[in-house]
Amino acid sequence: MRSVSVVVGLSAVLVVGGVAAAQQSTGGGRGGVGGRGTAIQPGESCPPGTTEIRPRSCMAPQSPAPSILDYRPHSTLVTPAHMVRRAKYPAIDYHGHPQDLVESSEGLATLGAALDSLNVRLMVAADNMSGERLQRTVAAIRASSQMRDRVRVLAGIDFRNVGPGWAERAVAQLEADVKAGAVGVGEISKGFGLSIKKPDGSRLKLDDPELDPIWDACARLGLPVFIHTADPQEFFEPIDNTNERWLELSLFPGRRYPPDRFPRFEEVMAERDNLFRKHPKTSFVAAHMGWHANDLGRLGKMMTEMPNVYTEVGAVLYDIGRQPRAAHDFFVKFQDRILFGKDSFQPEEYPYYWRVFETHDDYFDYYRPYHAFWKLYGIDLPDSVLKKVYYQNALKLTRALPR
């Protein structure tokens, strides 16, 4: 027993002595910080303008710090790079916003050339069209010998003035839009659930029972519902030094949802999930991976519990590409219910998606630095999964798409 006590006591002396020595020699090692650090307690953060240089010791830089806008370090990492200009398999862009390009023969020709360069075979225009505009757009597409089988449109729903008689009018308009050529519904905008009001001034909730007839009609007509709910969770949080979307929110302050004017993120998501559960015969596509690409466990739980829900990857590549192992496993597990979509139509940005999905490249740039200051990695999906994500799942879900 005495020998154990001696060993324990000696260990304590070595540990305490080591800590003391380390504290006294803050200036040792490369850089010679010389004890100029500011001590903090365990669990505390460094004071503003300083960073941690040793455990519980903070110091300010001796040179003026560049702004977050100007700091663009050049990586010295040298690794294989595989630039992928065209998708390995023909893709269907289920989240297209070609806007006025689909309203004229000249615009359609421009769109077709861009899609050809990327190996995008078909674009689903998710511009929330209805009535006369939808009819004009479909007519222009059908008149194009080059593009008549390469663009399809989704029908919009007008959620204003929900009340007596609204459901009948909305269903009648939807049926007319389908007859005119719509292949689904959407993109239902983020305003639904955030800002659209009922005639009495109350917020129109996503799971409002007065909307049930329109979702039932979608099931009856075999129309998938492509829905954009809310925005990234950080947009609902304070703009401070801990918010990883600080730069975007500072550049575009209108993207933030302060609590005195908007419902909370979790409140809207609860309504969305209740909508999905209430209508199991209706197929829903949660745009932008439901804004849960940063929490794939949560998204996976939702998709497991709700087999009528698909998801789509538009504008969340920054989250997919920063977790390559988790994202790879998620895509493999839910390979039958993930759709490719790009969102904003910028042809030069599509190759970033191909590179993330098709390669195992390390540490490369994302296409919009204000979205994400971190790097991306390839998730190296198997060919069988790529085919499903790129086109097979869209064809399975939306039976009116050209085969």
Side-chain angles (χ1 to χ4, degrees):
M1 192 58 132
R2 176 179 172 80
S3 62
V4 172
S5 300
V6 170
V7 171
V8 171
L10 180 59
S11 299
V13 169
L14 290 172
V15 170
V16 172
V19 171
Q23 291 174 340
Q24 292 172 5
S25 65
T26 314
R30 188 170 56 191
V33 296
R36 288 179 282 112
T38 300
I40 57 173
Q41 297 300 312
E44 286 185 343
S45 297
C46 287
T50 68
T51 190
E52 196 167 25
I53 54 168
R54 297 288 189 274
R56 298 175 300 285
S57 181
C58 307
M59 193 169 74
Q62 298 183 51
S63 301
S67 75
I68 189 174
L69 290 171
D70 299 327
Y71 184 57
R72 304 181 184 96
H74 290 194
S75 173
T76 60
L77 186 68
V78 180
T79 61
H82 304 87
M83 309 308 294
V84 186
R85 302 299 180 190
R86 292 168 50 83
K88 189 172 185 178
Y89 301 103
I92 294 176
D93 183 350
Y94 207 87
H95 192 167
H97 289 299
Q99 299 181 8
D100 58 357
L101 288 177
V102 293
E103 297 179 4
S104 68
S105 58
E106 296 79 10
L108 284 163
T110 299
L111 177 64
L115 299 184
D116 285 343
S117 70
L118 300 165
N119 200 20
V120 175
R121 180 69 185 85
L122 188 146
M123 174 175 280
V124 178
D127 286 328
N128 202 41
M129 289 182 271
S130 185
E132 195 173 313
R133 183 188 172 203
L134 184 145
Q135 294 172 25
R136 288 197 312 269
T137 300
V138 171
I141 294 167
R142 289 175 175 170
S144 171
S145 59
Q146 176 190 3
M147 299 297 289
R148 65 165 58 107
D149 289 326
R150 299 191 60 188
V151 181
R152 289 295 181 268
V153 299
L154 301 180
I157 296 175
D158 186 351
F159 289 101
R160 295 173 296 179
N161 302 313
V162 171
W166 176 87
E168 291 80 5
R169 295 190 300 272
V171 170
Q173 183 61 61
L174 179 61
E175 291 174 337
D177 289 342
V178 171
K179 187 176 181 181
V183 300
V185 170
E187 173 187 9
I188 295 177
S189 76
K190 59 189 174 184
F192 177 44
L194 287 176
S195 57
I196 296 176
K197 308 289 186 184
K198 299 181 74 170
D200 62 4
S202 63
R203 180 176 64 89
L204 178 63
K205 298 182 178 181
L206 280 83
D207 56 353
D208 190 306
E210 292 191 83
L211 306 178
D212 288 347
I214 197 75
W215 312 129
D216 293 339
C218 290
R220 171 173 55 83
L221 296 169
L223 301 175
V225 178
F226 184 50
I227 180 169
H228 173 159
T229 304
D231 261 341
Q233 189 166 4
E234 299 92 331
F235 289 11
F236 294 78
E237 303 301 328
I239 307 178
D240 59 23
N241 290 345
T242 68
N243 191 322
E244 67 179 2
R245 303 299 283 273
W246 179 91
L247 180 56
E248 179 173 1
L249 293 171
S250 297
L251 290 168
F252 305 99
R255 294 183 181 181
R256 185 168 177 266
Y257 301 102
D260 59 334
R261 293 172 47 209
F262 295 94
R264 298 289 75 208
F265 178 83
E266 291 298 344
E267 182 180 1
V268 179
M269 292 303 173
E271 294 170 8
R272 178 204 63 187
D273 292 353
N274 192 39
L275 165 64
F276 293 166
R277 290 191 190 95
K278 281 173 62 179
H279 298 278
K281 294 182 180 180
T282 305
S283 295
F284 293 94
V285 181
H288 310 291
M289 295 187 81
W291 299 120
H292 300 322
N294 63 321
D295 187 352
L296 293 178
R298 175 175 181 172
L299 180 58
K301 183 174 186 293
M302 183 179 86
M303 294 180 71
T304 299
E305 293 176 354
M306 306 171 198
N308 59 321
V309 175
Y310 289 68
T311 196
E312 171 271 338
V313 302
V316 290
L317 193 68
Y318 54 82
D319 271 337
I320 298 170
R322 65 169 163 171
Q323 49 180 332
R325 291 176 292 276
H328 174 277
D329 293 348
F330 180 89
F331 274 69
V332 170
K333 182 175 182 179
F334 295 100
Q335 60 185 271
D336 296 315
R337 291 161 62 193
I338 302 173
L339 308 178
F340 171 72
K342 169 60 179 65
D343 197 2
S344 173
F345 183 61
Q346 306 290 337
E348 64 271 22
E349 294 173 350
Y350 283 73
Y352 290 84
Y353 286 77
W354 315 146
R355 189 177 183 188
V356 167
F357 293 147
E358 298 179 22
T359 79
H360 57 271
D361 284 2
D362 287 324
Y363 201 75
F364 53 91
D365 289 331
Y366 178 63
Y367 54 84
R368 292 190 190 175
Y370 74 83
H371 270 177
F373 53 84
W374 52 84
K375 304 294 185 178
L376 305 184
Y377 299 81
I379 67 174
D380 197 20
L381 294 176
D383 285 1
S384 59
V385 177
L386 282 174
K387 291 177 184 178
K388 290 179 179 180
V389 172
Y390 281 176
Y391 70 92
Q392 290 176 353
N393 291 340
L395 293 175
K396 176 182 69 174
L397 174 67
T398 311
R399 60 193 185 209
L401 292 181
R403 271 15 192 191

